[in-house]
Amino acid sequence: MAAKIAKLDEKCTALADSVAKMKKADEAGERDRGVDGTMAERVAADSVDRAAFAALSSSVAELKKRQSRPMKDLDAYADAQAKADSVMRALGSAAEPPMAGEELVSYKIRMHRKMQPHSPRWKGVELQLIAADQVALDNVLTEIRADAMTAATSPVGMPEFQHRMITKTMPGGHTVHEFIGNGTIFKQLARPVRHVGYIGTRTGTGSNGTLDCTWPSATLSPAAS
């Protein structure tokens, strides 16, 4: 963007230098013959397309305006980035800052497109079509963030004993790490559950025809999975 502004400034400077040189030549020669000294300006004006010059000047002004955003716009960009970042951090990424010359609506849409796949209602919608209505767009973006945060904090679909870390930056500036997943380390280290299958006295006949007696005993069997 800075390169484009520099090129446009060079074109404007070249046009201004051309007008100045022609005016200086007229003042040096034609004025002595009674000319009013404005010939250079009239010739330069005739040689340059007024529409092209106006469009060039307008482009330069617009690019400079985008490069130097007022404080009110900067606050709006910062608010949009903070809202998107709080959700994207939970998803394992981060919200990028706005690009040079990027409009606020375009920046919001670009950030929320990364969260759209987590929204059952809005994942297949082109947000640019809603951009004309600012209120409706903000409501849709709020729903997308809520759906994405729900998906980020839900362990549904994760393998057992697998956890995902969520990094949060608190208002005081310190960082908090939370873990979302199924099962705990205590459950993972626990022994398999066993159930009693039989309790009582068992008797039978030995090989020599005598009666064998045993003490009361219990039989353990693994729990059914």
Side-chain angles (χ1 to χ4, degrees):
M1 186 64 68
K4 291 182 179 179
I5 293 178
K7 290 182 179 180
L8 292 174
D9 284 338
E10 291 177 0
K11 291 182 180 180
C12 292
T13 302
L15 290 174
D17 292 342
S18 177
V19 172
K21 290 179 181 179
M22 295 178 68
K23 183 176 180 180
K24 185 176 181 181
D26 283 344
E27 291 176 350
E30 298 296 337
R31 179 170 294 179
D32 294 338
R33 298 193 295 272
V35 183
D36 60 2
T38 61
M39 182 181 294
E41 295 179 0
R42 296 197 304 272
V43 173
D46 293 338
S47 61
V48 178
D49 186 359
R50 293 181 180 274
F53 186 80
L56 185 62
S57 301
S58 177
S59 298
V60 172
E62 180 65 22
L63 291 174
K64 288 183 177 180
K65 180 181 178 181
R66 291 186 179 183
Q67 285 291 96
S68 56
R69 297 188 179 107
M71 184 57 65
K72 182 179 179 180
D73 291 346
L74 293 177
D75 292 340
Y77 279 95
D79 181 65
Q81 183 178 4
K83 289 180 179 179
D85 189 71
S86 63
V87 180
M88 296 181 68
R89 289 281 182 181
L91 293 171
S93 59
E96 304 170 358
M99 297 184 294
E102 188 175 22
E103 296 181 353
L104 180 59
V105 174
S106 299
Y107 175 63
K108 289 181 178 180
I109 292 176
R110 182 166 66 89
M111 289 296 98
H112 285 76
R113 277 176 178 162
K114 300 178 181 180
M115 295 179 273
Q116 266 189 278
H118 302 285
S119 177
R121 181 179 181 183
W122 301 106
K123 61 181 178 180
V125 177
E126 175 54 54
L127 298 178
Q128 198 66 45
L129 300 177
I130 317 174
D133 190 336
Q134 187 64 43
V135 176
L137 178 63
D138 288 339
N139 291 336
V140 171
L141 299 184
T142 301
E143 290 187 23
I144 291 176
R145 290 196 304 272
D147 292 340
M149 180 59 76
T150 300
T153 56
S154 174
V156 176
M158 296 183 63
E160 190 175 11
F161 305 124
Q162 179 176 334
H163 295 76
R164 179 176 64 252
M165 183 176 70
I166 297 177
T167 303
K168 296 182 179 180
T169 302
M170 306 307 290
H174 59 283
T175 302
V176 175
H177 300 286
E178 297 180 357
F179 293 88
I180 303 297
N182 293 317
T184 64
I185 186 175
F186 304 103
K187 183 178 179 181
Q188 188 174 7
L189 296 176
R191 297 178 61 184
V193 179
R194 292 177 176 270
H195 298 290
V196 176
Y198 173 81
I199 296 178
T201 302
R202 294 188 177 185
T203 59
T205 303
S207 59
N208 57 358
T210 61
L211 181 65
D212 293 336
C213 296
T214 60
W215 293 99
S217 62
T219 301
L220 300 179
S221 60
S225 58

CSV table of all heavy atoms in Angstrom, one decimal, residues 155 158-164 179-191:
chain,number,residue,atom,x,y,z
A,155,PRO,N,-15.7,-31.2,25.1
A,155,PRO,CA,-14.8,-32.4,24.8
A,155,PRO,C,-15.5,-33.4,23.9
A,155,PRO,O,-14.9,-34.5,23.6
A,155,PRO,CB,-14.6,-33.0,26.2
A,155,PRO,CG,-15.9,-32.7,26.9
A,155,PRO,CD,-16.4,-31.3,26.4
A,158,MET,N,-13.6,-35.9,21.2
A,158,MET,CA,-12.2,-36.1,21.5
A,158,MET,C,-11.9,-37.5,22.1
A,158,MET,O,-12.8,-38.0,22.8
A,158,MET,CB,-11.7,-35.0,22.6
A,158,MET,CG,-11.8,-33.6,22.1
A,158,MET,SD,-11.1,-32.4,23.3
A,158,MET,CE,-9.4,-33.0,23.4
A,159,PRO,N,-10.8,-38.1,21.7
A,159,PRO,CA,-10.5,-39.5,22.3
A,159,PRO,C,-10.4,-39.4,23.8
A,159,PRO,O,-10.1,-38.4,24.4
A,159,PRO,CB,-9.2,-39.8,21.6
A,159,PRO,CG,-9.1,-38.9,20.4
A,159,PRO,CD,-9.8,-37.6,20.8
A,160,GLU,N,-10.6,-40.6,24.4
A,160,GLU,CA,-10.5,-40.6,25.9
A,160,GLU,C,-9.0,-40.4,26.3
A,160,GLU,O,-8.1,-40.8,25.7
A,160,GLU,CB,-10.9,-42.0,26.3
A,160,GLU,CG,-11.1,-42.1,27.9
A,160,GLU,CD,-11.6,-43.5,28.3
A,160,GLU,OE1,-11.7,-44.4,27.4
A,160,GLU,OE2,-12.0,-43.6,29.5
A,161,PHE,N,-8.9,-39.6,27.4
A,161,PHE,CA,-7.7,-39.2,28.0
A,161,PHE,C,-6.8,-38.3,27.1
A,161,PHE,O,-5.6,-38.1,27.4
A,161,PHE,CB,-6.8,-40.4,28.4
A,161,PHE,CG,-7.5,-41.4,29.3
A,161,PHE,CD1,-7.7,-42.7,28.9
A,161,PHE,CD2,-8.1,-41.0,30.5
A,161,PHE,CE1,-8.3,-43.7,29.7
A,161,PHE,CE2,-8.8,-41.9,31.3
A,161,PHE,CZ,-8.9,-43.2,30.9
A,162,GLN,N,-7.5,-37.7,26.1
A,162,GLN,CA,-6.8,-36.7,25.3
A,162,GLN,C,-7.3,-35.3,25.7
A,162,GLN,O,-8.5,-35.1,25.8
A,162,GLN,CB,-6.9,-36.9,23.9
A,162,GLN,CG,-6.2,-35.9,23.0
A,162,GLN,CD,-6.3,-36.2,21.5
A,162,GLN,OE1,-6.5,-37.4,21.1
A,162,GLN,NE2,-6.3,-35.2,20.7
A,163,HIS,N,-6.4,-34.3,25.9
A,163,HIS,CA,-6.9,-33.0,26.3
A,163,HIS,C,-6.3,-31.9,25.4
A,163,HIS,O,-5.2,-32.1,24.8
A,163,HIS,CB,-6.4,-32.7,27.8
A,163,HIS,CG,-7.0,-33.6,28.8
A,163,HIS,ND1,-6.6,-35.0,28.9
A,163,HIS,CD2,-8.0,-33.4,29.7
A,163,HIS,CE1,-7.4,-35.5,29.9
A,163,HIS,NE2,-8.2,-34.6,30.4
A,164,ARG,N,-7.0,-30.8,25.3
A,164,ARG,CA,-6.6,-29.7,24.5
A,164,ARG,C,-6.4,-28.5,25.5
A,164,ARG,O,-7.3,-28.2,26.3
A,164,ARG,CB,-7.6,-29.4,23.5
A,164,ARG,CG,-7.3,-28.1,22.6
A,164,ARG,CD,-8.3,-27.9,21.5
A,164,ARG,NE,-9.6,-27.6,22.0
A,164,ARG,CZ,-10.7,-28.4,22.0
A,164,ARG,NH1,-10.5,-29.6,21.4
A,164,ARG,NH2,-11.8,-28.0,22.4
A,179,PHE,N,-7.5,-26.8,30.4
A,179,PHE,CA,-7.4,-28.1,29.6
A,179,PHE,C,-8.8,-28.6,29.5
A,179,PHE,O,-9.5,-28.8,30.5
A,179,PHE,CB,-6.5,-29.1,30.3
A,179,PHE,CG,-5.0,-28.7,30.3
A,179,PHE,CD1,-4.5,-27.9,31.3
A,179,PHE,CD2,-4.2,-29.0,29.2
A,179,PHE,CE1,-3.2,-27.5,31.2
A,179,PHE,CE2,-2.9,-28.6,29.2
A,179,PHE,CZ,-2.4,-27.8,30.2
A,180,ILE,N,-9.2,-29.0,28.3
A,180,ILE,CA,-10.5,-29.5,28.0
A,180,ILE,C,-10.3,-30.9,27.4
A,180,ILE,O,-9.4,-31.2,26.5
A,180,ILE,CB,-11.2,-28.7,26.9
A,180,ILE,CG1,-11.4,-27.3,27.4
A,180,ILE,CG2,-12.6,-29.3,26.6
A,180,ILE,CD1,-12.2,-27.1,28.7
A,181,GLY,N,-11.0,-31.9,27.9
A,181,GLY,CA,-10.8,-33.3,27.4
A,181,GLY,C,-11.7,-34.3,28.2
A,181,GLY,O,-12.5,-33.9,29.0
A,182,ASN,N,-11.5,-35.6,27.8
A,182,ASN,CA,-12.3,-36.7,28.5
A,182,ASN,C,-11.4,-37.4,29.4
A,182,ASN,O,-10.3,-37.9,29.0
A,182,ASN,CB,-12.9,-37.6,27.4
A,182,ASN,CG,-13.9,-36.9,26.5
A,182,ASN,OD1,-14.8,-36.2,27.0
A,182,ASN,ND2,-13.9,-37.1,25.2
A,183,GLY,N,-11.9,-37.7,30.6
A,183,GLY,CA,-11.1,-38.5,31.6
A,183,GLY,C,-10.1,-37.7,32.3
A,183,GLY,O,-9.7,-36.6,31.9
A,184,THR,N,-9.6,-38.3,33.4
A,184,THR,CA,-8.6,-37.7,34.2
A,184,THR,C,-7.4,-38.6,34.4
A,184,THR,O,-7.5,-39.8,34.0
A,184,THR,CB,-9.1,-37.3,35.6
A,184,THR,OG1,-9.5,-38.5,36.3
A,184,THR,CG2,-10.3,-36.4,35.5
A,185,ILE,N,-6.3,-38.1,34.9
A,185,ILE,CA,-5.1,-38.9,35.1
A,185,ILE,C,-5.4,-40.0,36.1
A,185,ILE,O,-4.8,-41.1,36.1
A,185,ILE,CB,-3.9,-38.0,35.4
A,185,ILE,CG1,-2.6,-38.9,35.5
A,185,ILE,CG2,-4.2,-37.3,36.8
A,185,ILE,CD1,-1.4,-38.1,35.8
A,186,PHE,N,-6.2,-39.7,37.1
A,186,PHE,CA,-6.5,-40.6,38.2
A,186,PHE,C,-7.3,-41.8,37.6
A,186,PHE,O,-7.1,-43.0,38.0
A,186,PHE,CB,-7.3,-40.0,39.3
A,186,PHE,CG,-6.6,-38.8,39.8
A,186,PHE,CD1,-7.0,-37.5,39.5
A,186,PHE,CD2,-5.5,-38.9,40.7
A,186,PHE,CE1,-6.3,-36.4,40.0
A,186,PHE,CE2,-4.9,-37.8,41.2
A,186,PHE,CZ,-5.3,-36.5,40.9
A,187,LYS,N,-8.2,-41.5,36.7
A,187,LYS,CA,-9.0,-42.6,36.1
A,187,LYS,C,-8.1,-43.5,35.2
A,187,LYS,O,-8.2,-44.7,35.1
A,187,LYS,CB,-10.2,-42.0,35.3
A,187,LYS,CG,-11.0,-43.1,34.6
A,187,LYS,CD,-12.2,-42.5,33.9
A,187,LYS,CE,-13.1,-43.6,33.2
A,187,LYS,NZ,-14.2,-43.0,32.5
A,188,GLN,N,-7.2,-42.8,34.5
A,188,GLN,CA,-6.3,-43.5,33.6
A,188,GLN,C,-5.3,-44.5,34.4
A,188,GLN,O,-5.0,-45.5,33.9
A,188,GLN,CB,-5.4,-42.5,32.8
A,188,GLN,CG,-4.6,-43.1,31.7
A,188,GLN,CD,-3.9,-42.1,30.9
A,188,GLN,OE1,-3.9,-40.9,31.2
A,188,GLN,NE2,-3.3,-42.5,29.8
A,189,LEU,N,-5.0,-44.1,35.6
A,189,LEU,CA,-4.1,-44.9,36.4
A,189,LEU,C,-4.8,-46.0,37.3
A,189,LEU,O,-4.2,-46.8,37.9
A,189,LEU,CB,-3.2,-44.0,37.3
A,189,LEU,CG,-2.2,-43.1,36.6
A,189,LEU,CD1,-1.5,-42.2,37.6
A,189,LEU,CD2,-1.2,-43.9,35.8
A,190,ALA,N,-6.1,-45.9,37.3
A,190,ALA,CA,-6.9,-46.8,38.2
A,190,ALA,C,-6.8,-48.3,37.7
A,190,ALA,O,-6.7,-48.5,36.5
A,190,ALA,CB,-8.3,-46.4,38.2
A,191,ARG,N,-6.9,-49.2,38.6
A,191,ARG,CA,-6.9,-50.6,38.2
A,191,ARG,C,-8.2,-51.0,37.6
A,191,ARG,O,-9.3,-50.4,38.0
A,191,ARG,CB,-6.6,-51.5,39.4
A,191,ARG,CG,-5.2,-51.3,40.0
A,191,ARG,CD,-5.0,-52.1,41.3
A,191,ARG,NE,-5.1,-53.5,41.0
A,191,ARG,CZ,-5.1,-54.5,41.9
A,191,ARG,NH1,-5.0,-54.2,43.2
A,191,ARG,NH2,-5.2,-55.8,41.5
